[in-house]
Amino acid sequence: MHRLLLLGCFWLLTAPKVSSIFQRPTGSPAPPRLQYLLEPLHSTVHTQRGATATLPCVLRALPRNYRVKWSKVEPANYRESIIIITNGLYHKNYGPLSPRVHLRHSHRYDASLTITDVALEDEGRYRCQLVNGLDDESVSLSLHLEGVVFPYQPSNGRYKFNYHEAKRACEQQDSRLATYQQLYKAWTEGLDWCNAGWILDGTVHYPIINSREPCGGRLLLPGVRTYGAKDKQKDRFDAFCFTSALQGSQVYFIRGHLNFKEAGQACRNHGAAIAKVGQLYSAWKFSQLDRCDGGWLADGSVRYPIAIPRERCGGLPDPGVRSFGFPNKEMRTYGTYCFVGK
């Protein structure tokens, strides 16, 4: 008994104090407590293309001689671009977002940023910074658009785009180069593609669900595989494009045996335009467009959207946008997909 008591006393003397277990490691200062800015209740704002979105930034007090600066972190180069600066009385807008942004200013403590007619390039991380001499502080928020990522290559085959050509090709198809986060999310949702493609930050990747010999081998685990950063001028790959739903728009099919030129005219006769690839993907993803008929698109390709897989519509087990490639534009075999915007 005496031996047990002595051992117990020894443990109490030598054991670390309970409070030290929860102490912050040396060299890791606690994040500064916000004095003037309120921490946003939700750090991510979800919206749709064409909608109006507000990123909250509210002050709990008004310091003397303060300014509030809104900026956006650009995913292509990780630099911050100033959007708007205000001192509470006056404000000034900057950059390409300038015509579409304003401060909500529902009361004198409100410095929230409102973006109208949200575009694909508006997605990303924003920062509301209070500039007040030595007491500068900021909050970060993310604007998220629900969208779909699709691989894209031109009519002359795979691996033909340098970075700048890939960026332009996506934009021509009502989309933009995807970010890594968008590509990763698409992979988690089932995107499986063996060809490598550019994304917005200038790196090259390809997403694999089913490991197989032509795609790095069976021994490599599934995942978003990377080639890293490549030469934007010299290196050539496909593109991964991102598009989102556009409020008030519609894609529909016109049946017929049309060549490419007649397909475009058929859409114009209905007050529409021949659909772009991104518009067809958006209609498939968000409107569940489902047709077994191949139709011309604006880039000269022929595709059809399948929301409910079935044997007589390609036989593949998963939903998707199927492609017939880029047929001779004089062929009178297909109908056309038309797009009507708001």
Side-chain angles (χ1 to χ4, degrees):
M1 177 66 71
H2 292 296
R3 180 176 295 177
L4 289 175
L5 287 173
L6 287 172
L7 287 172
C9 293
F10 177 77
W11 184 88
L12 288 172
L13 289 172
T14 58
K17 295 182 179 179
V18 174
S19 60
S20 68
I21 298 175
F22 301 99
Q23 286 177 357
R24 187 174 298 274
T26 304
S28 301
R33 181 179 177 274
L34 293 175
Q35 181 179 357
Y36 294 106
L37 295 177
L38 287 173
E39 192 72 39
L41 189 60
H42 302 288
S43 60
T44 300
V45 174
H46 297 266
T47 188
Q48 288 186 323
R49 186 161 52 141
T52 296
T54 298
L55 299 166
C57 184
V58 178
L59 285 70
R60 57 161 55 95
L62 299 177
R64 295 184 60 186
N65 302 319
Y66 77 96
R67 289 179 298 152
V68 170
K69 179 176 73 173
W70 275 99
S71 57
K72 182 176 186 288
V73 179
E74 300 297 344
N77 52 28
Y78 300 103
R79 295 178 181 173
E80 285 197 21
S81 300
I82 297 175
I83 300 170
I84 195 168
I85 295 178
T86 181
N87 63 359
L89 296 174
Y90 305 100
H91 69 271
K92 185 174 181 180
N93 293 18
Y94 298 85
L97 265 175
S98 180
R100 296 190 290 113
V101 296
H102 63 270
L103 295 172
R104 182 173 63 181
H105 210 65
S106 57
H107 52 79
R108 67 195 192 107
Y109 297 100
D110 184 13
S112 302
L113 182 74
T114 295
I115 306 173
T116 60
D117 194 19
V118 170
L120 291 173
E121 59 268 22
D122 296 341
E123 176 162 299
R125 189 157 58 89
Y126 292 76
R127 187 159 74 110
C128 176
Q129 182 181 14
L130 176 77
V131 182
N132 182 37
L134 297 177
D135 296 323
D136 294 359
E137 54 189 57
S138 65
V139 294
S140 292
L141 301 108
S142 294
L143 186 67
H144 176 72
L145 278 73
E146 285 297 325
V148 57
V149 172
F150 61 94
Y152 189 75
Q153 56 185 222
S155 59
N156 56 342
R158 72 172 196 160
Y159 294 177
K160 301 296 183 182
F161 293 135
N162 67 24
Y163 172 82
H164 306 287
E165 292 164 344
K167 185 172 182 290
R168 186 161 56 249
C170 288
E171 291 166 356
Q172 289 171 346
Q173 296 309 313
D174 192 49
S175 58
R176 71 191 299 244
L177 278 176
T179 64
Y180 181 81
Q181 289 78 10
Q182 290 163 348
L183 181 62
Y184 184 87
K185 183 173 185 291
W187 170 71
T188 66
E189 294 172 350
L191 181 61
D192 182 280
W193 197 254
C194 208
N195 295 343
W198 294 102
I199 63 172
L200 189 59
D201 64 2
T203 57
V204 175
H205 308 266
Y206 64 104
I208 294 296
I209 298 290
N210 302 305
S211 298
R212 51 202 186 272
E213 285 305 325
C215 305
R218 298 180 183 275
L219 297 180
L220 284 180
L221 293 174
V224 179
R225 298 173 183 167
T226 179
Y227 288 1
K230 307 301 285 187
D231 189 307
K232 292 183 178 181
Q233 291 288 352
K234 297 179 181 178
D235 291 321
R236 294 187 174 272
F237 297 94
D238 291 346
F240 286 106
C241 305
F242 171 83
T243 193
S244 180
L246 180 61
Q247 290 186 336
S249 65
Q250 181 189 8
V251 172
Y252 62 92
F253 181 74
I254 294 179
R255 188 183 299 276
H257 298 282
L258 309 170
N259 64 29
F260 177 71
K261 185 176 180 180
E262 292 166 343
Q265 187 60 53
C267 291
R268 290 191 291 274
N269 291 344
H270 286 76
I274 188 168
K276 298 178 179 181
V277 177
Q279 292 163 348
L280 184 64
Y281 267 93
S282 178
W284 162 74
K285 176 75 172 180
F286 298 104
S287 301
Q288 296 297 294
L289 185 62
D290 183 282
R291 287 207 66 103
C292 223
D293 307 280
W296 292 103
L297 296 178
D299 66 341
S301 66
V302 172
R303 306 175 195 248
Y304 63 101
I306 297 297
I308 304 172
R310 48 209 185 270
E311 188 63 34
R312 65 183 182 85
C313 297
L316 296 176
D318 299 316
V321 175
R322 321 285 196 231
S323 175
F324 286 116
F326 294 83
N328 186 315
K329 290 185 177 181
E330 297 303 318
M331 288 180 60
R332 286 190 169 93
T333 307
Y334 307 104
T336 184
Y337 288 96
C338 302
F339 172 81
V340 177
K342 58 179 182 177

